[in-house]
Amino acid sequence: MKITEIKTHYLQAKLDQPFGWSLDWAEHRSALLVQIDTDEGITGWGEAGAPGSGPIAAIISQILKPLIIGQDPLDREVLWEKMYAKTRDYGQKGLPVEAISGIDIALWDLMGKALNLPVHKLLGGQMRGRVMAYATGLYYKKTPHLTQELVQEALGYLKAGFPAIKMKIGGLSPAEDLENVRAVREAIGPRVLLMVDANHAYNAVTAIQVGRELEKYQVFWFEEPVIPEDLQGYLEVKEALNIPIAGGECEYTRFGFRELISRRAVDILQPDTCKAGGLSEAKKIAALASAWGIPYFPHVWGTPIAIAAALHLLAVLPETPSCRNALPFVQVPALEFDRTPHPIREELAVEPILPEGGWVKVPTAPGLGVEVREEILSKYRVVLD
Ligand code: MG
């Protein structure tokens, strides 16, 4: 089998209402999908970046495509190493690795379809057929009644059956954010897991001050308290607080994760499969995390292709550690289930991936198990210069 074509689809959907986090406001949702065609008529789909961006398409078409065309798609590891070596001198992190990630995920999808097996079977077999999901929501909104709206949104996730909810902090003053965390905790009661995500809005000193207050609200994890480059800051925050520290969505490849893992800078590791190097690299990062006893909860913020990639990985990740009564969130990793508006996520797949009572099934169809609705590609396509 030979690869005959690689196409990228840059999609964008305008939102009715913007939503925000500590860094920015989202007015649109976007995705960069990768389509790989072969001479045997089998097509693989991948997703690059979270969210995808136009420059990733240029990296794929101008730099990576010539390395891939004419090659055997089953030589996935060989192609990964070639792509990484080609871009190493100006890449290593960021968009070049996100481009490689999208191609790698498409190659796994392609291999599964070629062999008539789901990706998790190719990754090593199924530890679990379904995973617990947590709701990622509770972003900032442009409203004078933010606290009340956050409380209502959180109650909606409870009603939908989510056992855990993640909310944003770092976009207001610490006092205002803490008041919102208090209100949400009071509304959802003590048993529901509540995580907070600062998207690295703080320096270590502020993160520790905020974290000491968060301890009062039984926060299950404190995500990205400081900038990803500040490993020492992560260690100081982790040392000072009685809340697990999570991070990793801004890190790339086994080389980038090596320090984060080996210095035990986080309690929960969150590589994004569409950014960190694809499923091939995620497996290697997971092996490193396993050796240091660090749980791996994939970061997910994309379309059903990204969600399916995460689900196949979650199906094979080991318990940390294994035990007779392994529980979601304690020894068993959970799926990040983004609940913010994303028209492309809702419309792209013939069969949407949805939770039932907080659980999401791992797809069983060949490849990633996502059938793409091609009309959605033209509906949201952005023409790049
Ligand atoms: Mg995050």
Side-chain angles (χ1 to χ4, degrees):
M1 189 164 38
K2 294 264 182 289
I3 295 170
T4 52
E5 181 61 288
I6 302 184
K7 292 180 204 147
T8 54
H9 305 269
Y10 181 44
L11 312 179
Q12 202 172 74
K14 187 159 174 32
L15 300 176
D16 296 333
Q17 299 285 337
F19 65 88
W21 58 102
S22 67
L23 302 176
D24 210 350
W25 289 95
E27 312 270 351
H28 299 83
R29 295 304 295 266
S30 57
L32 196 285
L33 304 186
V34 180
Q35 176 185 351
I36 301 185
D37 297 327
T38 61
D39 59 355
E40 294 187 13
I42 302 169
T43 292
W45 288 93
E47 182 164 347
S53 65
I56 300 174
I59 294 170
I60 290 176
S61 66
Q62 292 171 32
I63 300 165
L64 302 177
K65 185 174 173 177
L67 301 175
I68 299 290
I69 296 291
Q71 301 299 310
D72 183 340
L74 303 188
D75 291 343
R76 194 183 23 72
E77 291 272 350
V78 176
L79 297 177
W80 197 101
E81 293 297 336
K82 278 187 181 170
M83 290 189 287
Y84 188 79
K86 179 81 176 176
T87 55
R88 171 179 271 129
D89 287 13
Y90 52 88
Q92 302 177 20
K93 294 178 193 275
L95 300 186
V97 181
E98 295 182 8
I100 294 170
S101 306
I103 291 173
D104 180 79
I105 293 168
L107 292 175
W108 278 96
D109 185 40
L110 220 163
M111 179 162 66
K113 288 169 177 166
L115 302 176
N116 202 31
L117 290 169
V119 164
H120 62 260
K121 190 63 91 177
L122 303 171
L123 285 167
Q126 198 179 67
M127 296 280 287
R128 53 196 70 89
R130 61 177 194 165
V131 293
M132 194 73 100
Y134 70 85
T136 284
L138 304 177
Y139 283 62
Y140 296 97
K141 300 176 179 96
K142 295 189 174 175
T143 165
H145 311 293
L146 181 63
T147 307
Q148 295 94 312
E149 291 190 25
L150 290 173
V151 163
Q152 287 310 311
E153 187 184 337
L155 292 173
Y157 297 138
L158 284 200
K159 209 169 165 198
F162 287 102
I165 303 169
K166 189 163 81 184
M167 71 183 289
K168 294 294 178 184
I169 61 169
L172 292 169
S173 70
E176 290 168 295
D177 278 331
L178 287 162
E179 170 55 22
N180 289 336
V181 175
R182 185 201 62 74
V184 168
R185 170 52 85 198
E186 195 176 287
I188 64 177
R191 292 174 66 90
V192 177
L193 301 184
L194 178 64
M195 296 84 107
V196 301
D197 185 358
N199 291 99
H200 50 78
Y202 303 129
N203 53 50
V205 171
T206 311
I208 291 167
Q209 287 171 340
V210 171
R212 288 200 174 125
E213 296 299 314
L214 290 172
E215 287 172 354
K216 297 175 187 165
Y217 307 119
Q218 303 90 47
V219 167
F220 188 67
W221 77 54
F222 184 0
E223 184 169 322
E224 288 204 295
V226 296
I227 56 172
E229 301 93 326
D230 187 10
L231 227 59
Q232 189 60 37
Y234 262 99
L235 291 167
E236 288 169 16
V237 173
K238 202 164 90 87
E239 176 72 22
L241 299 181
N242 275 325
I243 303 175
I245 302 303
E249 69 182 83
C250 297
E251 194 50 85
Y252 296 83
T253 79
R254 59 192 184 272
F255 307 112
F257 277 96
R258 179 175 53 197
E259 286 294 290
L260 204 61
I261 292 169
S262 64
R263 293 180 65 190
R264 294 181 71 92
V266 294
D267 299 296
I268 291 150
L269 199 69
Q270 300 172 302
D272 189 304
T273 316
C274 301
K275 293 173 70 178
L279 282 164
S280 303
E281 200 64 3
K283 239 339 209 134
K284 296 177 177 120
I285 297 163
L288 284 176
S290 163
W292 268 266
I294 300 175
Y296 184 127
F297 285 56
H299 174 262
V300 190
W301 214 62
T303 76
I305 294 171
I307 300 170
L311 279 169
H312 287 287
L313 181 66
L314 280 160
V316 306
L317 287 176
E319 294 160 4
T320 313
S322 61
C323 69
R324 178 179 57 76
N325 187 30
L327 300 169
F329 292 101
V330 183
Q331 294 92 0
V332 180
L335 174 70
E336 173 164 27
F337 206 75
D338 171 25
R339 294 288 71 207
T340 53
H342 194 331
I344 304 162
R345 182 191 65 215
E346 301 305 317
E347 297 173 42
L348 184 71
V350 171
E351 282 186 43
I353 299 171
L354 294 170
E356 284 172 35
W359 293 92
V360 180
K361 285 187 190 134
V362 176
T364 52
L368 291 173
V370 176
E371 198 180 334
V372 171
R373 290 173 65 201
E374 306 243 353
E375 67 270 25
I376 299 306
L377 302 178
S378 37
K379 181 176 176 184
Y380 292 113
R381 176 170 288 121
V382 177
V383 177
L384 298 166
D385 298 335

